[in-house]
Amino acid sequence: MNKAFSLMEVIIAIVMLSVVMIALLKIKSENIFLVSKSNENTKANEYILLAVDFNDEISNKNEDVFLNKRYTYSNDDVRRELKDIKISIKDDKVESKSIQSDLNNINTTIFSRTYSLENSNIKKKIYSFKIEL
């Protein structure tokens, strides 16, 4: 009696290996896509954080900021990367309330500043509160 695999067993084994290899290649390509998308989102968040100025008072600002004009770098690669990055800044008055009592009159105002990167759906909002007695 010969102890060998039949042709049918070899073909079934090759088909099974092919299916597993195709599934692994598909998983790898999806993971590469997700990692690249995550890197793009991280970079966009970092660009927006470069535009945030915590010393600037939230008022009624509605402007576009180019990062290469806000910061000056001696590294040419960084300057080239920041050259076309445009951040839109928009201020809004969210809510204003007044609380009156016999002793005091308290006015509270909530402002928001929205930072958004051009050609991206990533936005950051920063809220500030103003309390007047």
Side-chain angles (χ1 to χ4, degrees):
M1 217 192 254
N2 292 341
K3 294 194 177 189
F5 293 111
S6 69
L7 180 61
M8 187 56 88
E9 291 173 331
V10 171
I11 291 173
I12 290 173
I14 290 174
V15 168
M16 288 173 55
L17 284 174
S18 300
V19 168
V20 169
M21 291 300 290
I22 290 171
L24 288 175
L25 287 173
K26 184 173 172 90
I27 290 171
K28 180 183 175 191
S29 68
E30 287 175 1
N31 284 342
I32 289 173
F33 172 76
L34 289 175
V35 167
S36 68
K37 200 68 169 161
S38 174
N39 287 341
E40 288 175 17
N41 287 344
T42 301
K43 192 175 264 195
N45 281 324
E46 289 172 353
Y47 289 149
I48 288 175
L49 288 176
L50 279 173
V52 174
D53 184 7
F54 289 105
N55 295 324
D56 192 12
E57 186 176 320
I58 294 181
S59 56
N60 205 7
K61 188 181 273 190
N62 189 8
E63 67 180 4
D64 294 329
V65 174
F66 288 93
L67 290 181
N68 67 331
K69 293 180 181 167
R70 180 170 259 192
Y71 299 103
T72 55
Y73 292 100
S74 57
N75 188 336
D76 289 337
D77 294 333
V78 174
R79 255 190 282 132
R80 255 184 260 123
E81 184 177 346
L82 295 179
K83 180 181 179 189
D84 299 325
I85 305 299
K86 182 169 93 171
I87 308 287
S88 298
I89 302 172
K90 184 169 182 356
D91 290 347
D92 288 320
K93 185 177 181 181
V94 178
E95 185 178 1
S96 184
K97 285 189 177 183
S98 181
I99 301 170
Q100 296 179 0
S101 69
D102 295 336
L103 300 174
N104 289 334
N105 185 15
I106 300 173
N107 296 320
T108 60
T109 309
I110 302 172
F111 295 99
S112 74
R113 176 168 285 172
T114 305
Y115 295 89
S116 57
L117 183 63
E118 185 181 47
N119 300 327
S120 175
N121 60 352
I122 295 178
K123 294 182 179 183
K124 296 285 181 196
K125 273 195 173 188
I126 296 178
Y127 291 92
S128 70
F129 303 92
K130 183 178 181 182
I131 300 172
E132 298 172 326
L133 295 174

